[in-house]
Amino acid sequence: MHLTTDGRRVAVVTGGGSGMGRAIVHRLAADGFAVAVMDLDAAAAAKVAVEAREKGGEALDVGGVDVSDRAQVREGVRRVRESLGPVLVLVNNAGITGFREFSAITDEKWDRMMAVNLAGPFYVTQTVLPDMIEAGWGRIVNISSSSAQGGQPFMVHYVTSKAGLIGFTKALALEVAPKDVTVNTIPPGFIDTPMLRESERRGMLGGTVDHHAGLTPVRRPGRPEDVAAACAFLVSDEAGYITGQIIGVNGGRNT
Ligand code: NAP
């Protein structure tokens, strides 16, 4: 299996500049991975890579990459391979949200949602998968959403994209399992990130974060680190017999 010169596996985290992605970068770097931080926001990706290195990890700032653009993905992955080596771990975390009455979802909004949340993971996965197949070992984690398990009004485009990602996970898992590549999905629910706070600010949650925390069985919002912990397990050697699975991180909101 190809490792970096100091014996690390290379991991790519999309949307690594904020929220859950940032926590996943920090956790994987602390666990000894060489982590490539990919994000639309180049400055945010650079900042997170610096933070991870300051904590003693190995992290590469890939620069700005829009996962919905295949050419940008190809170039981003080329930079990762050139600097760190073949990619053995991928976390498809980048995503956008949206709240809109069904009848008001425009073609543009629909297309953008599918482009980022569904075509994005398709492009990035298709680009890095050959490295994993060649190594005979790989780990892919797709960050979907608990809203795809339970449904959510005013989010038909978002929920559809995330439900698609769950199907993507299950189908690809079966295809690559004989190559020792696992593919799983974490559908988070109610995690305290800039995305959740922006939704609160825009009045899209139907109440404050604190109000919803009180209705959550564990009585708190999730932390980005809660998702990062599940992700760290799924990309470990120990998780090799777990594939095609939906591992919820939602404080008991969905069971
Ligand atoms: P976040 O704080 O908004 O972080 C998402 C990151 O992805 C941002 O840095 C964003 O960059 C980046 N991004 C957006 N579009 C991109 C693109 N086209 N290419 C590359 N990067 C892009 O959100 P989060 O809450 O951590 O969400 C992470 C994932 O969890 C998302 O897929 C989200 O749908 C999912 N999720 C979140 C929750 C929750 O409760 N927070 C629940 C269920 C699912 P910009 O800031 O420049 O846009």
Side-chain angles (χ1 to χ4, degrees):
M1 178 186 309
H2 186 94
L3 304 175
T4 61
T5 43
D6 55 354
R8 298 174 196 258
R9 287 172 174 154
V10 176
V12 168
V13 179
T14 71
S18 175
M20 264 174 250
R22 176 171 171 269
I24 293 167
V25 169
H26 283 305
R27 176 61 194 261
L28 297 191
D31 286 357
F33 291 89
V35 189
V37 189
M38 237 182 225
D39 203 290
L40 188 59
D41 184 338
K47 186 163 175 282
V48 171
V50 168
E51 288 170 1
R53 286 198 295 271
E54 282 171 356
K55 288 192 200 165
E58 185 171 350
L60 174 74
D61 160 27
V62 187
V65 174
D66 182 344
V67 295
S68 72
D69 182 324
R70 191 185 269 284
Q72 288 189 35
V73 168
R74 201 179 290 125
E75 172 56 18
V77 171
R78 189 196 65 72
R79 288 200 291 269
V80 176
R81 290 190 179 119
E82 186 179 81
S83 300
L84 300 175
V87 178
L88 300 183
V89 170
L90 168 63
V91 183
N92 281 310
N93 163 78
I96 55 173
T97 189
F99 298 87
R100 197 159 282 234
E101 202 175 316
F102 178 66
S103 59
I105 297 173
T106 61
D107 293 357
E108 288 73 26
K109 292 275 180 205
W110 178 271
D111 290 348
R112 185 65 189 154
M113 194 66 81
M114 299 305 152
V116 176
N117 291 1
L118 202 45
F122 168 57
Y123 297 150
V124 185
T125 304
Q126 212 175 44
T127 308
V128 304
L129 189 61
D131 293 359
M132 301 183 192
I133 301 286
E134 197 191 327
W137 191 95
R139 298 280 186 268
I140 299 169
V141 178
N142 296 318
I143 306 298
S144 53
S145 170
S146 62
S147 65
Q149 297 173 290
Q152 193 72 35
F154 308 111
M155 297 185 85
V156 170
H157 49 347
Y158 178 79
V159 172
T160 302
S161 70
K162 293 298 190 177
L165 192 54
I166 292 174
F168 174 102
T169 301
K170 291 185 176 202
L172 184 63
L174 299 181
E175 202 168 315
V176 298
K179 305 289 184 190
D180 219 348
V181 176
T182 68
V183 191
N184 292 289
T185 183
I186 298 174
F190 196 53
I191 310 294
D192 198 349
T193 67
M195 182 186 276
L196 187 75
R197 291 293 171 176
E198 175 62 13
S199 301
E200 178 188 45
R201 194 189 63 74
R202 291 171 56 202
M204 300 302 183
L205 294 184
T208 62
V209 168
D210 283 350
H211 167 76
H212 284 287
L215 301 175
T216 299
V218 302
R219 299 287 188 273
R220 66 168 175 86
R223 302 179 186 107
E225 292 73 18
D226 292 321
V227 177
C231 193
F233 172 63
L234 289 174
V235 305
S236 69
D237 277 314
E238 286 173 295
Y241 200 57
I242 300 172
T243 197
Q245 300 304 311
I246 304 171
I247 311 292
V249 178
N250 58 43
R253 292 163 64 95
N254 293 74
T255 58

